[in-house]
Amino acid sequence: MQHRILFAAAVVVSALAPARCGGGYSDPPTSPGGPSPGEVTATITIRSDGRVEPAEVRISVGDRVRFINQDTRQHQPTTNPHLVHTDCPAGNLPVMSTGESQTTQAFTVEKACGFHDHLNPDSVALQGVIRVGNAQGPGGPVY
């Protein structure tokens, strides 16, 4: 009986694991007349001089943002505030090595989402704002 319970628990955990890690996401089909929800509509590059460019982008609700690391150091774009990254969880990405790119989840709330490099949170050059929809304001503070 104990083995059946453990087996059932293992099946449930393995079935939920991809959803918790963001697995299973696929782009919706593109529709004529503009980008589909969930499409990448902005790219932010971490340049070789350690700056993000552009530092501010505007996307529609449901769109995603691609980050590209062209620096020689690792970076981890995350939303504010530092350590908890709860401003816009869709924008929290894993560590990126040189030459890597990562794409956020879809931003589903109209909001100004401040972001920073989790590995270097005090660098103003690695901070910016993703404006979702018609959101105004600076985005949440880094700390």
Side-chain angles (χ1 to χ4, degrees):
M1 180 68 172
Q2 254 182 336
H3 288 94
R4 286 185 183 174
I5 293 172
L6 289 175
F7 177 75
V11 169
V12 169
V13 168
S14 65
L16 293 177
R20 291 188 50 149
C21 297
Y25 181 84
S26 63
D27 289 330
T30 302
S31 61
S36 299
E39 187 171 334
V40 174
T41 57
T43 299
I44 297 172
T45 302
I46 302 168
R47 300 180 344 177
S48 59
D49 62 359
R51 304 181 77 74
V52 293
E53 185 177 277
E56 181 179 322
V57 296
R58 183 173 300 276
I59 62 172
S60 296
V61 173
D63 289 348
R64 301 181 298 150
V65 176
R66 177 177 293 117
F67 281 81
I68 301 172
N69 184 8
Q70 293 181 346
D71 198 1
T72 57
R73 297 174 41 183
Q74 290 185 327
H75 294 280
Q76 184 178 13
T78 53
T79 60
N80 299 341
H82 182 56
L83 295 180
V84 293
H85 310 126
T86 53
D87 198 10
C88 297
N92 298 332
L93 296 173
V95 174
M96 297 175 7
S97 295
T98 302
E100 287 186 327
S101 67
Q102 292 285 336
T103 301
T104 67
Q105 297 289 325
F107 288 84
T108 59
V109 176
E110 187 169 291
K111 185 174 186 178
C113 302
F115 68 87
H116 64 279
D117 179 6
H118 177 73
L119 304 178
N120 195 5
D122 295 323
S123 173
V124 175
L126 293 168
Q127 297 173 10
V129 179
I130 299 168
R131 297 189 189 287
V132 184
N134 293 316
Q136 301 299 317
V142 173
Y143 290 99

